[in-house]
Amino acid sequence: MHKAHICEKTVTIPTYRTGSPEKNPLFIEKRAYQGSTGKVYPVPICEKISDRKEDVDYHAVILENDYLYVMVLPELGGRIQRALDKTNGYDFIYYNHVIKPALVGLAGPWISGGIEFNWPQHHRPSTFMPVDYVTSENPDGSVTVVLGETDRIHGTKGNASITLYPDKAYIEVRGRLFNPTDYPQTFLWWANPAVSVNDNTFSVFPPDVNAVMDHGKRAVSTFPIATGEYYKADYSAGVDISRYKNIRVPTSYMAAHSDFDFVGNFDEGRDAGLLHVADHHVSPGKKQWTWGCGDFGRTWDKNLTDSDGPYIELMTGVFCDNQPDFTWLKSHEEKTFVQYFMPYKTVGRVSNATRDIVLGVDYLDHEGNVLSPDPFASGKEENERLAADAACARIKVYATGEYPDARITVFSEGKEVWRRTVSLSPACAYTDTIKSLRDYRVTVEDAQGRTLCEYTEYVRENQPVPDAAEALKKPEELATTEELYLAGQHLEQYRHATFLPQDYYLEGLRRDPTDIRLNHAYGLLLLRSGCLEESVPFFRRAIRKQTWRNPNPYSGEPYLHLGVALQWLGKYQEAYDAFYKATWSAETAGQAFYHLACICAIQGEMQNALSFVSQSLVRNWHDMKARTLKAAILDHTGEKAACSAFVRESLAIDPLCAGILFRSPDRQAFARILRPENALDLAYEFIGAGFFLDALTVLSQCPAQSPLKFYAMAYAEGRLGNTSSALAYARQAEAQTTDLCFPNRVI
């Protein structure tokens, strides 16, 4: 077995540099961006791009095997800058040879090409900023680069592990999203591969996609043949909008629904394309975006590249199917997923695909031409006529690995009618023809009889086209308090740019001041905003109603969030009582035990703290915030061997966790990730659990000269009783420039 290889090197790329970020924060409260809020504070906005090109050196991570060459740029958001199929010299991801930003990103600069990882919203705020990373060579011969960052706006953490296997022609991306904050957050994840396009290219959506929708599901079109107006373009004559050459204006569409696991594109001129494969239960999002092939699109091509021509984006959404479409990530919750990006050949329009096999079936006329570009659209009777008119059917199979003695079998009307034993590999696709098919099924198996991919003839018949979304009514127009609660939750979850959730919560509370959900939701909204004292009465009202007839309520969330507010207010005994009650409910027990451990650690009760944090980890073994706390407790109680073993175990889960790296013997690994934001986050985490000396150590190692750094050091010294040192750090904080110093959290 050949090994995959990974290395780090400097690459020189012609670049149009960005200007300095604005030194004052922009409070754009009702700015809309991609269908949700465009608030960016505390991320600074950049509003200038140079018109002069110069060579710039970038630090790149290169992953390579016999089939693929992959370049990752951690300095530019951790994007995959290039993905080359070495078997045919085809860049299956749009390779932009120049870094040419335009001011279309959430915080300003954005570049086209590669694969951009968009989270926790679209396009991600840090898309043009550095991320943390670490590389590894794995025992199975694969290689991995793990990229990670903590979102500065909401505090959620995301890792993407990009792996290349020695004998596979696909890129594996394993995502791990974690919420270390004390309250629920929302997120979306759309991987954004760009692909080069021309008059020979078309999007490859699954057979069951008969309708596509605009952002927010505001408009709907039939697909692939559009028959009405979409994006103010007239398609009434019937236009195939899967083809780039037919879309003249900027257009975005997302599959309304699909039960298949793939989406991609194909270039008939190059006989090659890109495919994304992921479990549709986790990754339902399938989208195409284009600037259009008209004058407007050509202008934007020039804005974003010097010579690499037009592209489209084929976005792939995880835990979401539209933009905006956000999913909840609860406090201390982890969500994971896996996506595969691969080149493929010859198959063209795909019938079904897995990470191993891409399978297609065409009906051909006597000249070898495809009879229908969309054979799935016809009704059953018409499809049978199509099969009867065809000279033959063509079976096409592409493999992402070596499969000697693979078996391809065709069943027609329940009977086996055709079988071949062939050798499959990523070098080329296998094709063959069969005289006729009816109600058919195709299977591909390896030599051991394991099914790699199968497809049963799919016909879209009487499949309804969904309706467009309706606008949300005003609070006073909604009939029930339940609708008001759900409306407020929707606005929070989807980060609405102009409607305010509190308007709906307060209208509901006006009608019923005792409503449990409305009191809890509004209290949580206040807590998020730093209104600690104001939030407490609403949590208490929710608890009072919860316990009206039952002292042991179904949900522990009001107790949990009451405890958080009281802990931040320094009312530790009241907070301790609330957290302990929250441990009675399974959905809040893990977070509640964590907070109990923090309170015990603050009060010097380390054995109790260790017991509580261990109970927290029983509920969520991958909770890196609890792991950071447990490592600190083990270290401070002198259990060095146990601490070292626990650190090794934890780094296997998240090799970029700052709190664990802090106690790792690899000091260089910790230094590499100690950017100012990471240092402040970790220091605040230590302060919240009473480890003030650890916070001071972290901040003293951070080279940044920020007022926030020195104020945090002053606070830590003050809590240790070192008044003179606290005053000295406070004076040092006041002496620093406040440029780009944007506080946005409660400590």
Side-chain angles (χ1 to χ4, degrees), residues 120 153 164 267 306 344 395 604 608:
I153 299 176
L164 208 59
D267 185 332
D306 284 347
Y344 79 109
I395 310 297
N608 286 338

Side-chain angles (χ1 to χ4, degrees), residues 718-731:
R719 291 296 302 268
L720 289 168
N722 302 326
T723 306
S724 59
S725 296
L727 288 172
Y729 280 128
R731 292 190 184 101

Side-chain angles (χ1 to χ4, degrees), residues 298-314:
R298 286 190 287 270
T299 298
W300 272 101
D301 294 340
K302 294 177 183 178
N303 287 343
L304 292 164
T305 188
D306 284 347
S307 59
D308 291 303
Y311 72 96
I312 62 173
E313 297 170 10
L314 287 169

Side-chain angles (χ1 to χ4, degrees), residues 130-179:
V131 298
D132 303 321
Y133 75 97
V134 64
T135 64
S136 65
E137 297 179 346
N138 308 317
D140 63 356
S142 66
V143 293
T144 299
V145 55
V146 182
L147 307 154
E149 67 168 353
T150 297
D151 171 45
R152 292 174 63 183
I153 299 176
H154 298 282
T156 48
K157 183 178 182 184
N159 283 6
S161 299
I162 300 172
T163 297
L164 208 59
Y165 292 90
D167 52 357
K168 298 295 183 183
Y170 55 66
I171 302 168
E172 179 187 87
V173 178
R174 289 192 174 271
R176 178 180 178 273
L177 310 178
F178 178 63
N179 177 11

Side-chain angles (χ1 to χ4, degrees), residues 537-587:
F538 292 94
F539 295 134
R540 293 198 186 280
R541 286 175 200 158
I543 291 169
R544 190 177 305 122
K545 186 66 173 289
Q546 272 189 318
T547 56
W548 169 52
R549 299 297 295 266
N550 185 355
N552 307 316
Y554 186 80
S555 171
E557 281 199 330
Y559 279 107
L560 177 69
H561 295 128
L562 173 63
V564 170
L566 293 170
Q567 183 181 357
W568 285 354
L569 290 167
K571 300 177 180 180
Y572 293 125
Q573 186 56 55
E574 292 180 70
Y576 188 95
D577 294 342
F579 286 134
Y580 229 130
K581 189 67 174 183
T583 67
W584 290 25
S585 296
E587 82 280 5

